[in-house]
Amino acid sequence: QVQLVESGGGLVQAGGSLRLSCAASGGTFSSHAWFRQAPGKEREFVALIGWSGGTTSYADSVKGRFAISRDNAKNTVYLRMNSLKPEDTAVYYCAAGSTVSIRQRAYDYWGQGTQVTVSS
């Protein structure tokens, strides 16, 4: 059974930092990505990382502030979030699939989500 489990969300002041983790089990994947969904908004791409090649990509809104990384030995991906803003408030979802893409439909597996709330 494939499972993705996110952790690390919580409450933080604007300007603060959090690191999200996504622990995968039941398989290995060529691509992992983070998406987020804010209240009243559609789910949007945040960052991705290629499992084999180390390729990374970020949404313009988070470039320079967020960093995605992986630990293949632990089958875990991370999202380090710095200089957080209130507009970063959302449920953050980890996704895994066989292709490197910013499209939600490219990913076959999804975690349950973890809430990130940034206060002003």
Side-chain angles (χ1 to χ4, degrees):
Q1 181 180 347
V2 173
Q3 287 187 299
L4 303 176
V5 180
E6 301 101 331
S7 62
L11 302 174
V12 65
Q13 288 271 110
S17 298
L18 288 172
R19 189 178 77 160
L20 307 183
S21 298
C22 174
S25 62
T28 57
F29 307 94
S30 298
S31 180
H32 285 77
W34 290 93
F35 293 80
R36 67 187 183 186
Q37 188 166 24
K41 303 287 188 178
E42 294 187 354
R43 190 172 297 182
E44 65 177 354
F45 168 76
V46 176
L48 65 80
I49 186 165
W51 194 252
S52 59
T55 300
T56 61
S57 184
Y58 300 90
D60 288 344
S61 59
V62 306
K63 285 181 180 177
R65 300 189 297 119
F66 290 12
I68 189 169
S69 61
R70 67 180 186 270
D71 184 339
N72 287 348
K74 297 180 178 179
N75 206 16
T76 300
V77 297
Y78 305 94
L79 184 69
R80 178 68 178 181
M81 304 183 294
N82 296 323
S83 301
L84 283 162
K85 305 174 181 179
E87 51 262 45
D88 295 317
T89 295
V91 177
Y92 284 70
Y93 297 91
C94 178
S98 59
T99 59
V100 178
S101 176
I102 66 171
R103 296 179 177 180
Q104 296 180 52
R105 64 187 302 162
Y107 297 93
D108 298 317
Y109 303 100
W110 293 81
Q112 81 287 350
T114 186
Q115 176 71 47
V116 172
T117 302
V118 184
S119 62
S120 60

